[in-house]
Amino acid sequence: MPDSPADHHQARRNPRTARLHRRTALVTGAAAGIGLAVADRFRAEGARVAYADRDAAGAETAAAATGGRPVHMDVSDEASVVAGYAGLAADGWIPDVVVVNAGVQLFGHDAEVAELDLDVWRRTHDVNLTGAFLTVKHAVRGMLRIGGGSIILSGSPTGVRGEGAEFTAYASSKAGMHGLGRTVAAAYADRGIRVNTVIPPYTETGLVSAITGDPAARAVIVGRIPMRRAGTTADLEGVYVFLAGEESAFATGGAFAVDGGMTSL
Protein backbone atom coordinates (compact mmCIF):
# COMPACT_ATOMS: atom_id res chain seq x y z
CA MET A 1 0.00 0.00 0.00
CA PRO A 2 1.55 3.37 -0.98
CA ASP A 3 2.02 6.10 1.55
CA SER A 4 -0.70 8.68 1.90
CA PRO A 5 -0.49 12.03 0.07
CA ALA A 6 0.26 13.65 3.41
CA ASP A 7 3.32 11.42 3.81
CA HIS A 8 4.59 12.32 0.33
CA HIS A 9 4.06 16.01 1.04
CA GLN A 10 5.95 15.82 4.32
CA ALA A 11 8.90 14.06 2.66
CA ARG A 12 9.12 16.65 -0.15
CA ARG A 13 8.79 19.55 2.25
CA ASN A 14 11.63 18.42 4.50
CA PRO A 15 13.92 15.97 2.72
CA ARG A 16 16.24 15.82 5.71
CA THR A 17 13.53 13.87 7.56
CA ALA A 18 12.77 11.33 4.85
CA ARG A 19 15.47 8.68 5.33
CA LEU A 20 12.82 6.00 5.81
CA HIS A 21 10.37 7.18 3.19
CA ARG A 22 8.37 4.23 1.80
CA ARG A 23 9.45 1.95 4.66
CA THR A 24 6.86 0.05 6.67
CA ALA A 25 7.99 -0.54 10.25
CA LEU A 26 6.69 -2.41 13.25
CA VAL A 27 8.09 -1.55 16.69
CA THR A 28 7.26 -3.71 19.71
CA GLY A 29 7.04 -2.16 23.15
CA ALA A 30 6.12 1.07 21.38
CA ALA A 31 3.79 2.49 24.00
CA ALA A 32 6.64 3.88 26.11
CA GLY A 33 10.38 4.24 26.55
CA ILE A 34 12.86 3.36 23.82
CA GLY A 35 10.18 1.76 21.66
CA LEU A 36 8.05 4.90 21.68
CA ALA A 37 11.01 7.14 20.88
CA VAL A 38 12.13 4.94 17.99
CA ALA A 39 8.62 4.62 16.57
CA ASP A 40 8.12 8.39 16.73
CA ARG A 41 11.49 9.00 15.04
CA PHE A 42 10.65 6.52 12.29
CA ARG A 43 7.43 8.44 11.63
CA ALA A 44 9.40 11.69 11.48
CA GLU A 45 11.74 10.03 8.96
CA GLY A 46 8.84 9.21 6.64
CA ALA A 47 8.01 5.59 7.51
CA ARG A 48 4.62 4.04 8.04
CA VAL A 49 4.82 2.74 11.61
CA ALA A 50 2.86 0.14 13.54
CA TYR A 51 3.06 0.84 17.27
CA ALA A 52 2.81 -2.66 18.79
CA ASP A 53 2.33 -3.19 22.49
CA ARG A 54 0.43 -5.48 24.86
CA ASP A 55 -0.87 -2.26 26.43
CA ALA A 56 -3.59 -1.65 23.86
CA ALA A 57 -4.60 1.73 25.26
CA GLY A 58 -0.97 2.85 25.37
CA ALA A 59 -0.42 1.80 21.78
CA GLU A 60 -3.54 3.70 20.72
CA THR A 61 -2.39 6.88 22.45
CA ALA A 62 1.17 6.65 21.15
CA ALA A 63 0.13 5.98 17.56
CA ALA A 64 -2.49 8.70 17.55
CA ALA A 65 0.12 11.33 18.41
CA THR A 66 1.98 10.80 15.12
CA GLY A 67 -0.58 9.27 12.80
CA GLY A 68 0.88 5.79 13.23
CA ARG A 69 -1.09 2.58 13.50
CA PRO A 70 -1.69 0.88 16.87
CA VAL A 71 -1.34 -2.89 17.11
CA HIS A 72 -2.33 -4.88 20.19
CA MET A 73 0.40 -7.51 20.48
CA ASP A 74 1.54 -9.66 23.39
CA VAL A 75 4.90 -10.90 22.13
CA SER A 76 4.91 -13.84 24.57
CA ASP A 77 1.78 -15.27 22.91
CA GLU A 78 2.26 -16.62 19.38
CA ALA A 79 -1.43 -16.30 18.52
CA SER A 80 -1.27 -12.60 19.41
CA VAL A 81 1.88 -12.09 17.34
CA VAL A 82 0.36 -13.89 14.35
CA ALA A 83 -2.83 -11.85 14.64
CA GLY A 84 -0.88 -8.60 14.81
CA TYR A 85 1.09 -9.30 11.65
CA ALA A 86 -1.97 -10.70 9.87
CA GLY A 87 -4.03 -7.61 10.64
CA LEU A 88 -1.34 -5.43 9.11
CA ALA A 89 -0.92 -7.67 6.07
CA ALA A 90 -4.66 -7.58 5.39
CA ASP A 91 -4.29 -3.85 4.78
CA GLY A 92 -1.12 -4.15 2.73
CA TRP A 93 1.26 -3.47 5.61
CA ILE A 94 4.03 -6.10 5.51
CA PRO A 95 6.86 -4.63 7.59
CA ASP A 96 10.26 -4.38 5.95
CA VAL A 97 11.62 -2.99 9.22
CA VAL A 98 10.91 -4.65 12.57
CA VAL A 99 12.27 -3.41 15.89
CA VAL A 100 12.24 -6.14 18.55
CA ASN A 101 12.12 -4.01 21.65
CA ALA A 102 9.42 -5.26 24.05
CA GLY A 103 10.89 -6.38 27.37
CA VAL A 104 10.49 -6.69 31.11
CA GLN A 105 12.88 -6.42 34.03
CA LEU A 106 11.39 -7.71 37.27
CA PHE A 107 13.09 -5.55 39.88
CA GLY A 108 12.65 -6.89 43.39
CA HIS A 109 12.21 -10.42 42.03
CA ASP A 110 15.16 -11.07 39.71
CA ALA A 111 18.21 -12.12 41.70
CA GLU A 112 21.50 -13.96 41.82
CA VAL A 113 21.03 -17.46 40.47
CA ALA A 114 20.94 -19.29 43.83
CA GLU A 115 18.09 -17.06 44.98
CA LEU A 116 16.11 -16.89 41.75
CA ASP A 117 12.59 -18.30 41.59
CA LEU A 118 11.75 -20.38 38.55
CA ASP A 119 8.59 -18.32 37.96
CA VAL A 120 10.65 -15.11 37.67
CA TRP A 121 13.00 -16.82 35.21
CA ARG A 122 10.09 -18.00 33.10
CA ARG A 123 8.19 -14.69 33.17
CA THR A 124 11.30 -12.80 32.09
CA HIS A 125 12.28 -15.19 29.33
CA ASP A 126 8.70 -15.49 28.07
CA VAL A 127 8.73 -11.80 27.14
CA ASN A 128 12.37 -11.01 26.48
CA LEU A 129 13.60 -14.10 24.66
CA THR A 130 10.56 -16.12 23.59
CA GLY A 131 8.94 -12.82 22.64
CA ALA A 132 11.96 -11.91 20.54
CA PHE A 133 11.90 -15.33 18.87
CA LEU A 134 8.20 -15.05 17.98
CA THR A 135 8.52 -11.48 16.72
CA VAL A 136 11.52 -12.37 14.57
CA LYS A 137 9.99 -15.62 13.32
CA HIS A 138 6.93 -13.93 11.90
CA ALA A 139 8.87 -10.87 10.74
CA VAL A 140 11.09 -13.16 8.65
CA ARG A 141 8.07 -14.94 7.15
CA GLY A 142 6.71 -11.61 5.97
CA MET A 143 10.06 -10.33 4.73
CA LEU A 144 10.62 -13.45 2.66
CA ARG A 145 7.40 -12.59 0.83
CA ILE A 146 8.55 -9.08 -0.06
CA GLY A 147 12.21 -9.74 -0.80
CA GLY A 148 13.93 -8.78 2.44
CA GLY A 149 14.09 -6.26 5.24
CA SER A 150 15.86 -5.12 8.39
CA ILE A 151 15.30 -6.55 11.88
CA ILE A 152 16.74 -4.60 14.82
CA LEU A 153 16.94 -6.10 18.31
CA SER A 154 17.19 -4.03 21.48
CA GLY A 155 19.90 -5.77 23.48
CA SER A 156 21.58 -4.82 26.73
CA PRO A 157 25.04 -4.40 28.27
CA THR A 158 23.96 -7.13 30.70
CA GLY A 159 23.89 -9.56 27.79
CA VAL A 160 27.48 -8.75 26.83
CA ARG A 161 29.36 -8.59 30.11
CA GLY A 162 28.77 -8.95 33.84
CA GLU A 163 26.69 -5.81 34.30
CA GLY A 164 23.71 -7.84 35.56
CA ALA A 165 25.14 -9.96 38.36
CA GLU A 166 21.96 -9.56 40.40
CA PHE A 167 19.63 -9.88 37.40
CA THR A 168 20.18 -13.48 36.30
CA ALA A 169 16.92 -13.83 34.39
CA TYR A 170 17.14 -10.48 32.63
CA ALA A 171 20.84 -10.71 31.73
CA SER A 172 20.55 -14.25 30.39
CA SER A 173 17.46 -13.38 28.36
CA LYS A 174 19.34 -10.51 26.72
CA ALA A 175 22.39 -12.70 26.08
CA GLY A 176 20.04 -15.14 24.36
CA MET A 177 18.63 -12.30 22.27
CA HIS A 178 22.14 -11.38 21.10
CA GLY A 179 22.71 -15.00 20.07
CA LEU A 180 19.36 -15.16 18.30
CA GLY A 181 20.25 -12.09 16.28
CA ARG A 182 23.56 -13.51 15.08
CA THR A 183 21.98 -16.85 14.20
CA VAL A 184 19.12 -15.39 12.19
CA ALA A 185 21.46 -12.96 10.45
CA ALA A 186 23.63 -15.85 9.26
CA ALA A 187 20.63 -17.90 8.14
CA TYR A 188 18.97 -15.23 6.00
CA ALA A 189 21.76 -12.95 4.77
CA ASP A 190 21.56 -14.45 1.28
CA ARG A 191 17.82 -13.73 1.13
CA GLY A 192 17.96 -10.02 1.76
CA ILE A 193 17.12 -10.04 5.48
CA ARG A 194 19.50 -8.18 7.78
CA VAL A 195 19.51 -8.61 11.57
CA ASN A 196 21.44 -6.36 13.93
CA THR A 197 21.40 -5.63 17.64
CA VAL A 198 21.58 -2.26 19.37
CA ILE A 199 23.22 -2.25 22.80
CA PRO A 200 21.70 0.71 24.63
CA PRO A 201 23.14 2.28 27.75
CA TYR A 202 21.48 2.42 31.11
CA THR A 203 18.56 4.51 29.85
CA GLU A 204 16.18 6.22 32.24
CA THR A 205 12.77 5.00 31.13
CA GLY A 206 9.88 3.49 33.04
CA LEU A 207 11.54 0.07 32.79
CA VAL A 208 14.22 1.09 35.30
CA SER A 209 12.18 3.30 37.63
CA ALA A 210 13.33 1.17 40.56
CA ILE A 211 16.87 2.38 39.92
CA THR A 212 16.12 6.00 39.05
CA GLY A 213 14.27 6.27 42.35
CA ASP A 214 17.28 4.99 44.31
CA PRO A 215 20.08 7.60 44.21
CA ALA A 216 22.72 5.21 45.52
CA ALA A 217 21.93 2.46 43.01
CA ARG A 218 21.75 5.00 40.19
CA ALA A 219 25.15 6.46 41.13
CA VAL A 220 26.77 3.02 40.99
CA ILE A 221 25.46 2.35 37.48
CA VAL A 222 26.21 5.80 36.10
CA GLY A 223 29.68 5.54 37.63
CA ARG A 224 30.39 2.58 35.33
CA ILE A 225 29.63 4.64 32.23
CA PRO A 226 32.77 6.39 30.93
CA MET A 227 30.72 9.39 29.74
CA ARG A 228 29.48 9.74 33.33
CA ARG A 229 25.79 10.16 32.59
CA ALA A 230 22.75 8.03 31.99
CA GLY A 231 21.56 7.54 28.45
CA THR A 232 18.40 9.02 27.01
CA THR A 233 16.09 7.77 24.28
CA ALA A 234 17.33 10.66 22.11
CA ASP A 235 20.83 9.12 22.24
CA LEU A 236 19.52 5.97 20.58
CA GLU A 237 17.10 7.02 17.85
CA GLY A 238 19.77 7.68 15.24
CA VAL A 239 21.33 4.21 15.25
CA TYR A 240 17.90 2.61 14.77
CA VAL A 241 17.25 4.89 11.79
CA PHE A 242 20.65 3.99 10.36
CA LEU A 243 20.03 0.24 10.73
CA ALA A 244 16.52 0.53 9.30
CA GLY A 245 17.65 2.26 6.10
CA GLU A 246 19.83 1.74 3.07
CA GLU A 247 22.87 3.40 4.66
CA SER A 248 23.45 0.14 6.56
CA ALA A 249 22.73 -2.16 3.60
CA PHE A 250 25.90 -4.23 4.18
CA ALA A 251 25.50 -4.52 7.96
CA THR A 252 24.13 -7.74 9.38
CA GLY A 253 24.91 -9.84 12.42
CA GLY A 254 26.37 -6.79 14.13
CA ALA A 255 26.10 -5.44 17.66
CA PHE A 256 26.03 -1.63 17.76
CA ALA A 257 26.90 -0.30 21.21
CA VAL A 258 25.51 3.17 21.92
CA ASP A 259 26.17 3.05 25.64
CA GLY A 260 28.56 5.84 26.56
CA GLY A 261 31.43 3.36 26.53
CA MET A 262 29.87 1.03 29.11
CA THR A 263 30.79 -2.16 27.22
CA SER A 264 34.14 -0.93 25.94
CA LEU A 265 36.05 -1.38 29.17
Side-chain angles (χ1 to χ4, degrees):
M1 177 183 292
D3 293 338
S4 70
D7 288 330
H8 284 285
H9 176 70
Q10 180 183 13
R12 287 196 303 269
R13 183 182 59 199
N14 190 353
R16 296 197 314 144
T17 59
R19 293 166 69 190
L20 302 182
H21 186 47
R22 297 193 180 282
R23 298 280 180 176
T24 297
L26 178 142
V27 181
T28 67
I34 293 172
L36 174 60
V38 170
D40 284 353
R41 176 66 180 271
F42 281 6
R43 280 294 295 148
E45 296 286 354
R48 297 188 301 182
V49 181
Y51 288 66
D53 207 286
R54 65 180 177 180
D55 175 4
E60 290 270 0
T61 299
T66 65
R69 174 166 175 162
V71 176
H72 182 212
M73 183 184 289
D74 179 350
V75 297
S76 68
D77 177 1
E78 186 162 21
S80 179
V81 174
V82 169
Y85 279 109
L88 290 170
D91 291 333
W93 287 47
I94 299 178
D96 55 359
V97 177
V98 171
V99 176
V100 184
N101 175 76
V104 296
Q105 188 167 6
L106 302 179
F107 289 98
H109 301 282
D110 206 345
E112 295 178 0
V113 69
E115 309 301 325
L116 182 64
D117 289 341
L118 178 58
D119 177 63
V120 174
W121 170 274
R122 285 175 170 159
R123 287 162 56 198
T124 303
H125 279 251
D126 279 352
V127 176
N128 293 1
L129 188 51
T130 300
F133 155 67
L134 292 173
T135 305
V136 170
K137 172 183 175 179
H138 293 285
V140 166
R141 288 185 174 184
M143 289 176 182
L144 288 173
R145 291 164 56 191
I146 61 175
S150 174
I151 298 171
I152 309 165
L153 310 178
S154 292
S156 169
T158 67
V160 178
R161 50 180 287 170
E163 291 293 337
E166 297 178 354
F167 300 107
T168 304
Y170 181 81
S172 60
S173 71
K174 288 297 186 178
M177 177 186 277
H178 285 249
L180 174 68
R182 290 191 295 270
T183 301
V184 178
Y188 292 94
D190 62 347
R191 281 168 278 183
I193 297 174
R194 301 186 296 109
V195 187
N196 291 286
T197 302
V198 173
I199 305 172
Y202 162 68
T203 306
E204 298 195 319
T205 66
L207 183 69
V208 296
S209 58
I211 295 176
T212 56
D214 182 337
R218 182 183 183 278
V220 169
I221 292 178
V222 173
R224 295 202 296 270
I225 300 173
M227 286 191 175
R228 293 295 185 265
R229 69 169 176 85
T232 69
T233 57
D235 293 321
L236 298 168
E237 298 166 11
V239 72
Y240 284 89
V241 172
F242 168 71
L243 291 172
E246 285 303 315
E247 294 166 297
S248 60
F250 202 56
T252 195
F256 292 77
V258 188
D259 61 2
M262 194 172 190
T263 55
S264 67
L265 301 180

